[in-house]
Amino acid sequence: MKYTLAVLVENRPGVLTHISGLISRRAFNIESIAASHTEEPDTTRITLDVEAGDEIELEQVVNQLSKLIDVIKIVNLTHVDSIQRELALIKVKASKVNRPDLVDIVEIFRAKIVDINRETMVIELTGEQSKIDALCEVLADFGIIEIVRTGKIALSRGAMPAKETE
């Protein structure tokens, strides 16, 4: 099963390596990982999408992560009402002939064209993973040259942050 974890850590060198190393040692697959500073300059938020066997295994990993000195808080967003997004840049073949069709597809998906030249077009899309997957599937017919995705980022809904995993 896939789980989404938000991990707040001290903004120090090597913290991300410790966290990803601990997770991989437990034989969990990290599907995506995104990290950046937060509203507090000394704090980094890491959003992890991990594939794990079950809740018990996940709890063991969360407990081990909690023991790391630089970890401030861990929130399991899997079963919490949350907003989850990913960003993708997709470079696709764009000839004079197929360019109008590509523009129509971009509009349907509420994406943006961020670069265009005689042979290619770069499309930016923000949304849930399934929306990005759907656009990639449609664009495959035109010839995708390159894709880059950020990985999932997530925040709980409402005024209060999600409760810490215990």
Side-chain angles (χ1 to χ4, degrees):
M1 181 170 166
K2 275 191 187 176
Y3 298 94
T4 302
L5 299 176
V7 184
L8 289 176
V9 298
E10 297 290 330
N11 189 3
R12 295 188 193 156
V15 175
L16 185 59
T17 304
H18 285 119
I19 288 172
S20 61
L22 190 148
I23 290 170
S24 64
R25 280 192 302 277
R26 297 287 299 184
F28 284 20
N29 186 35
I30 298 174
E31 296 282 326
S32 76
I33 188 167
S36 185
H37 59 84
T38 65
E39 64 283 357
E40 309 220 358
D42 294 342
T43 304
T44 295
R45 181 184 179 100
I46 302 169
T47 305
L48 295 159
D49 219 17
V50 296
E51 183 80 33
D54 58 26
E55 295 275 343
I56 295 168
E57 286 182 75
L58 181 72
E59 252 181 67
Q60 290 173 344
V61 170
V62 167
N63 288 336
Q64 289 179 336
L65 286 172
S66 298
K67 293 175 186 174
L68 295 176
I69 294 170
D70 295 319
V71 173
I72 299 167
K73 180 179 176 181
I74 303 170
V75 178
N76 184 348
L77 294 171
T78 308
H79 305 297
V80 174
D81 191 18
S82 61
I83 302 161
Q84 301 182 0
R85 295 289 185 266
E86 190 174 316
L87 169 69
L89 294 174
I90 307 161
K91 187 187 296 183
V92 64
K93 292 179 184 173
S95 66
K96 250 185 183 179
V97 176
N98 69 8
R99 203 171 291 139
D101 294 334
L102 285 167
V103 170
D104 289 343
I105 291 167
V106 166
E107 287 178 13
I108 289 168
F109 278 88
R110 294 192 176 131
K112 295 178 189 174
I113 297 169
V114 293
D115 186 50
I116 191 166
N117 63 42
R118 293 180 134 184
E119 299 167 0
T120 65
M121 179 183 293
V122 177
I123 299 164
E124 174 188 309
L125 179 61
T126 304
E128 293 188 7
Q129 184 178 9
S130 59
K131 182 179 180 179
I132 293 171
D133 291 342
L135 177 61
C136 290
E137 194 174 309
V138 171
L139 293 178
D141 295 337
F142 294 90
I144 295 174
I145 298 167
E146 197 172 2
I147 299 175
V148 63
R149 295 170 79 153
T150 59
K152 185 189 295 184
I153 56 171
L155 277 177
S156 61
R157 291 186 181 271
M160 297 300 292
K163 291 183 180 174
E164 190 170 339
T165 301
E166 297 174 23

